[in-house]
Structure formats: structure tokens, C-alpha cells
Amino acid sequence: MSQQIPDADVPGNSTDPSPQTVPPLPEDTRTGPGGIPVLAVEVSRQWARVMTLLRKELGEATYQNWLCFVGCDGIEGGCALLTAPSRFKRDWIRSHLGDQMLKAWNNVNGQVLRLDFHVREAASAPPAANAGESHSSRAPAEARASASQPGSEYPAVGRAGQYGRIGAPLDPRFTFEDFVVGKSNEFAHAAARRIAESDAPPFNPLFLHGGVGLGKTHLMHAIAHAIRARRPERSVLYLSAEKFMYQFIKALRDKDTMPFKEALRSVDVLMVDDVQFIGGKGSTQEEFFHTFNALIDHQKQLVISADRSPSDLDGIEERIRSRLGWGLVADIHPTDYELRLGILQGKAELARRQMPDLDIAESVLEFLAHRISSNVRDVEGALTRVVAFATLVRRPITVDMAREVLQDLLRASERRITIDEIQRKAAEYFNIRLADMLSARRARAVARPRQVAMYLAKQLTARSLPEIGRKFGGRDHTTVIHAVRRIEQLRESDSAMNEDVEKLQRLLQG
Ligand code: ADP
Ligand code: MG
């Protein structure tokens, strides 16, 4: 990943002139049912479009690591009021992504001329314009976690002294009870459970890795919750690598690193989330490594997460990388349909309990599980958005409505159809062997379906012609061009063929 963490800022060091409070929306916009501002619906739509544009332009990693934390409180006098959960995130996002964000706003609403970034008050309501966005679950969670339990905001306990506050808040919803286990995450889940139930480290460290939104943070918080419930005297510290660096650099600037080091080393369980961000900082890496070794030497449990395996962590020194892999490495795979449906059913049940009038048909959950990508965060976000919309316009939730509300998200996930999937479905549909998609056989009975699959790969994925050729048994890109042209012609002249292609396309798009 190219994204590098900048120097962490230190409170009081910011030159930010912007006011800390967000101007209120006009009174009449705040009177919607269930406390959801009505004006927010339009701003929310625009904001969703801005986010979709940015996500496409800046890529998934930047979106998940930074953008998804931004909320929009409204638009006032040509100025979009944006919020971020921390000063660090706000400053980073403003300086690195501000220009692109403004450009995206200009595309969506020409009247937005400026952006105003604020730090979201921990106790304030979730960003209104964001109510239906896929990333919204984060912000309220952070806000709730710190607002509802002010005394226990930082889970490092007791002995850590002033550095007791170096941890990050735990999300109360991220428990083992709320974690749905499926094929893709059962190993990671079992490993996490083992740690939560053991008094001595069963393996050290536990290194959890997997793509964004697949439940790494959820599992780490679940470990912390479980240990706190079972053995409250044990000190468990959870923090993000970003926070680790921030704290360490702050201690360095204050020329006072001892308490920080001692605080870290005095815990029984240390969990550091998203360590891919530790890359590139000599001194923080060094400190991380020493802490890591000291804890392992003292039989303290370490849990580390990253979006990739230890060996793929670039920017991290070789000796650290290899040491990270010494314990148990557990990866979380992308979810499958069953797991997504299970998660959606759980979330829908929760929503129904909170809003007894809510009417979510099972077919809607199936539709979402089928159509939204393998990332759980997106799946949850889609449901949140559909529910928010239904509550606002007071309509029952149907598949058609979900399709309408999620247009942009669905389009994004359509692009994620893979060539493997196309080959599988086409082979099934035309009743030929999957191996024949790649084979050199030229009999019409296999060659035609293969051409259809190549054509669909061109239409439904973003892969280049040479890439497609390679996936079809190492064929040349000119073969792919030929297939695409041939099927285009046939679709014109042969209605049965046209129907086959359309049916397959629908099958693939859900
Ligand atoms: P990661 O840290 O891997 O990026 P998170 O742990 O933040 O992902 O998960 C993203 C969202 O998906 C969270 O709201 C989390 O509760 C939810 N989630 C992920 N996996 C599961 C699961 N197996 N069961 C229930 N919820 C899940
Ligand atoms: Mg995470």
C-alpha cells in the first residue's frame, strides 16, 4: 500500500483556525421522525455521491482507512461541514485529501466552494448526512463507546498511571456473541476464543490478517471484552497502530518516553490493530519491536492485526516481520453468501428489536447477501442505509426499494464480478466442463461458451484484454478481441444467443 502515515500531531500543536463547533442546521430541518433531520436526506444523497466518486478515484485502501471516517453535517453558505473522529484524522484528511474532496463536491453540487473540517464531538450525535452511509456504523460506535462510558473510555487499567489513557475505546457491540462464525473466519475466531479463555498465552503473538471490513477489529475487541468479564484484574490494552505511533511520537517530543514504555510493558494483554501503518518510521518500529519482545519474554499475550500477512508487510524490517509470524498466523477470508446472510439476519433482528414496526422481508436480506461484496462493513452499511431510508419515507422495505436506495453501491459491486465466477457460471449454464474454459479444444460446443465467457469478462470486469486472455488458458489478447466481436455479432443476428447472454449476465449480476 502506498499510503503512509504522516507524523502524528500533538494536541496544542495545530494551527487550525476553524471553530470547534459546527453551526446548527436551520431549525425546520431538524424535525424529522425519529430525530433524523429531513434536510439531511438531500445532503445525504449528495454526500453519498461524493463518497462514491472519491472511493472510485482514491481507491479502496484510502477509502477504508481514512475517508470512511468522515461525516457530513450539512452545507452552509457554500461550505460543506465535514467531521472526522479525531484531530489526527481530521488534519491528515484535510491536508492529504482536501483538494480531491472539494473537486468531488464540485462535481456533485457546484455551490459547494469550501470545506470545513471539524473534530466530531465524542458525545455528539452521529453525522446526520451520513445516516445511511456504509461507513456510518463506525462513527456512532466511536461516539457511543466514549460517550456512554466516560470512566472506562480507555481500557488499559490501573498500573499504567497517566498512560492508562493510551488505549482506544472498545466498541460495546464487538463481542463474541455478536460475531457470526462461518467458513471464512472460523479459524481466526477459534484462535481468538482460545486466547480469551487462556490465562497463559497459548500462542504468541496471534497475528490476525485479512482484507478490510472482515472482522479483525471486532475479534480483538471481543477478546478484550471476554477477558475483562472473566478476569477483570488482568489489564488488557487495545490500540491501533496509528494511536501507538501518535503516543510514542508525543512522548518523544515531550522527551519523556519512559512512562509510555512502562505503561505498554505492564499490561497482560496488548493488542495492536492495523500494524501495516507502523511501516516507514524507524524509531516507532524500533519501539514497537522492543515492546513486543519484552512482552513475549514475560509471557504476556500479544495480538496483532494487519490487512496482509506478516511476510507481505512492506516498510517493516525483516526481523520484525519474521518475528510477527512466530506465533499463530490466522487469516480471515472474504465472506461467502451464507455468512453474509447470517450476519444480515442478526443485524435485522437487532433493528427489529429497536424498531418493532420495522418490516424487513427475508427476500431483502437474501438480495443484499447476494449482491453486496464480500466485505462485512459494506453489507452492514447497505442494511443501515435501507433501514434509514425506509424510516424516513415510511415505506416497507422491499427488494425494489433496496435496489433503488443502493444504486451506487450495487454498481460498485457489479464491477467486482470475477473472471473465475464468469467461467464457472458460463460452464454451468452451457453444461460444459469448467476445464474446457481453459482448454485448447476448438469444438463449437465448447468454443462458443468460452467466447461468451470472454465477452462477459470484458463487459462485466475491469480486466484488460491480455489479462482476460491469460485467465482463459493463456490465450492471446487478439483471441479475446475476436471472441468479443463474434458474440456482439451473434447477439444481433441470433435471438437465442442474445437471450443466453442476457440470462447469464443477469445470473452474474444477481
Ligand atoms: P476489520 O477490522 O477487519 O476491517 P471490523 O472488525 O471493523 O473489520 O468489521 C467491520 C464491521 O463488520 C463491524 O461492524 C463488525 O461488527 C462487522 N463484522 C465483521 N465480521 C463479522 C461477523 N463475522 N459477524 C458479525 N459482524 C461482523
Ligand atoms: Mg479494523
Side-chain angles (χ1 to χ4, degrees):
M1 189 175 37
S2 59
Q3 208 71 63
Q4 288 289 317
I5 285 267
D7 281 336
D9 69 347
V10 171
N13 219 19
S14 167
T15 52
D16 171 37
S18 61
Q20 287 299 308
T21 47
V22 178
L25 291 167
E27 211 49 50
D28 63 341
T29 63
R30 308 189 135 232
T31 52
I36 303 174
V38 174
L39 173 83
V41 179
E42 184 44 35
V43 177
S44 171
R45 284 213 184 97
Q46 295 184 3
W47 178 231
R49 253 178 279 149
V50 168
M51 276 298 205
T52 307
L53 284 176
L54 287 167
R55 189 174 188 166
K56 214 158 44 182
E57 186 182 328
L58 302 171
E60 197 57 21
T62 305
Y63 176 80
Q64 298 284 356
N65 290 324
W66 302 102
L67 277 172
C68 75
F69 297 103
V70 184
C72 176
D73 273 356
I75 302 173
E76 261 199 9
C79 182
L81 310 172
L82 306 180
T83 61
S86 66
R87 201 174 180 127
F88 176 76
K89 284 209 169 74
R90 177 201 61 188
D91 293 347
W92 195 93
I93 292 166
R94 182 172 45 200
S95 63
H96 290 78
L97 308 176
D99 290 348
Q100 280 127 313
M101 291 185 87
L102 184 59
K103 227 185 277 161
W105 263 112
N106 289 157
N107 278 333
V108 171
N109 178 348
Q111 287 171 352
V112 172
L113 306 171
R114 280 175 305 122
L115 303 180
D116 211 349
F117 286 91
H118 301 271
V119 177
R120 201 147 53 230
E121 302 255 323
S124 73
N130 235 351
E133 265 306 288
S134 64
H135 48 278
S136 66
S137 58
R138 292 259 99 179
E142 276 181 28
R144 251 203 328 276
S146 44
S148 62
Q149 33 176 275
S152 60
E153 184 181 346
Y154 297 98
V157 291
R159 289 170 273 159
Q162 60 155 314
Y163 279 92
R165 293 177 66 80
I166 57 184
L170 293 181
D171 190 316
R173 300 165 312 162
F174 289 2
T175 60
F176 281 123
E177 288 70 40
D178 285 340
F179 191 82
V180 184
V181 183
K183 270 205 283 306
S184 57
N185 59 23
E186 64 185 354
F187 184 56
H189 171 260
R193 279 262 186 199
R194 262 300 282 292
I195 286 180
E197 286 156 10
S198 309
D199 288 333
F203 24 74
N204 219 355
L206 167 63
F207 189 100
L208 291 172
H209 72 97
V212 280
L214 294 181
K216 300 181 295 295
T217 300
H218 189 136
L219 279 179
M220 291 174 113
H221 287 205
I223 294 174
H225 285 306
I227 294 180
R228 283 168 133 204
R230 201 177 58 87
R231 295 278 310 272
E233 75 284 4
R234 293 186 81 193
S235 74
V236 181
L237 181 66
Y238 163 87
L239 77 172
S240 60
E242 177 193 326
K243 189 133 190 169
F244 178 92
M245 296 199 325
Y246 167 85
Q247 296 284 353
F248 182 63
I249 292 168
K250 178 174 174 336
L252 275 181
R253 285 198 195 155
D254 296 349
K255 300 196 171 35
D256 189 20
T257 53
M258 274 320 281
F260 173 68
K261 292 180 186 180
E262 274 166 21
L264 280 181
R265 291 176 195 190
S266 68
V267 299
D268 295 309
V269 182
L270 174 66
M271 303 199 249
V272 185
D273 207 351
D274 288 322
V275 296
Q276 68 271 12
F277 288 138
I278 287 194
K281 288 248 167 284
S283 54
T284 19
Q285 263 193 49
E286 199 60 30
E287 181 51 30
F288 176 71
F289 188 57
H290 287 315
T291 305
F292 179 95
N293 284 332
L295 286 170
I296 290 191
D297 288 347
H298 288 89
Q299 286 284 302
K300 304 297 176 68
Q301 180 72 57
L302 260 142
V303 183
I304 309 285
S305 90
D307 64 357
R308 62 201 85 171
S309 72
S311 54
D312 289 337
L313 283 169
D314 33 51
I316 290 192
E317 281 177 47
E318 173 53 33
R319 68 196 165 117
I320 303 184
R321 259 189 291 166
S322 75
R323 185 100 210 239
L324 285 171
W326 277 11
L328 183 73
V329 178
D331 55 346
I332 307 184
H333 300 276
T335 57
D336 53 27
Y337 172 80
E338 275 72 32
L339 180 58
R340 288 197 292 278
L341 187 61
I343 290 171
L344 282 165
Q345 283 164 338
K347 306 278 169 195
E349 193 44 50
L350 213 68
R352 282 191 200 108
R353 247 180 273 151
Q354 287 164 353
M355 295 176 265
D357 297 342
L358 200 67
D359 178 14
I360 316 176
E362 185 70 13
S363 57
V364 173
L365 303 181
E366 285 165 10
F367 172 76
L368 295 178
H370 192 64
R371 291 293 301 272
I372 309 291
S373 79
S374 56
N375 170 334
V376 184
R377 198 173 292 157
D378 285 353
V379 174
E380 277 184 3
L383 183 65
T384 310
R385 197 151 130 189
V386 171
V387 169
F389 187 78
T391 328
L392 279 170
V393 301
R394 295 176 182 280
R395 262 168 53 188
I397 302 176
T398 62
V399 171
D400 280 343
M401 184 243 247
R403 201 187 307 250
E404 186 188 317
V405 176
L406 301 174
Q407 254 179 37
D408 50 337
L409 212 74
L410 294 174
R411 243 181 271 131
S413 73
E414 268 165 24
R415 278 193 298 278
R416 283 199 279 271
I417 295 173
T418 63
I419 296 184
D420 291 333
E421 219 177 314
I422 294 173
Q423 291 176 333
R424 225 179 23 250
K425 286 258 162 65
E428 229 169 74
Y429 183 86
F430 290 110
N431 210 1
I432 65 169
R433 292 179 316 143
L434 182 56
D436 276 332
M437 282 290 161
L438 319 183
S439 77
R441 288 183 60 201
R442 304 174 97 170
R444 163 94 47 103
V446 296
R448 192 69 86 216
R450 195 188 294 130
Q451 286 181 324
V452 170
M454 286 188 211
Y455 168 83
L456 289 172
K458 182 76 197 92
Q459 304 298 323
L460 304 178
T461 74
R463 310 297 286 271
S464 67
L465 293 168
E467 277 174 313
I468 296 174
R470 272 198 295 281
K471 292 287 272 180
F472 281 83
R475 289 178 153 78
D476 192 70
H477 74 280
T478 52
T479 312
V480 184
I481 296 178
H482 175 73
V484 171
R485 295 220 177 107
R486 186 78 192 113
I487 300 302
E488 271 167 2
Q489 285 163 358
L490 284 171
R491 287 190 72 173
E492 301 266 313
S493 60
D494 178 348
S495 63
M497 173 56 105
N498 189 38
E499 217 169 276
D500 284 340
V501 174
E502 274 178 6
K503 257 193 217 149
L504 256 172
Q505 203 157 327
R506 269 200 303 279
L507 268 175
L508 283 159
Q509 290 176 330

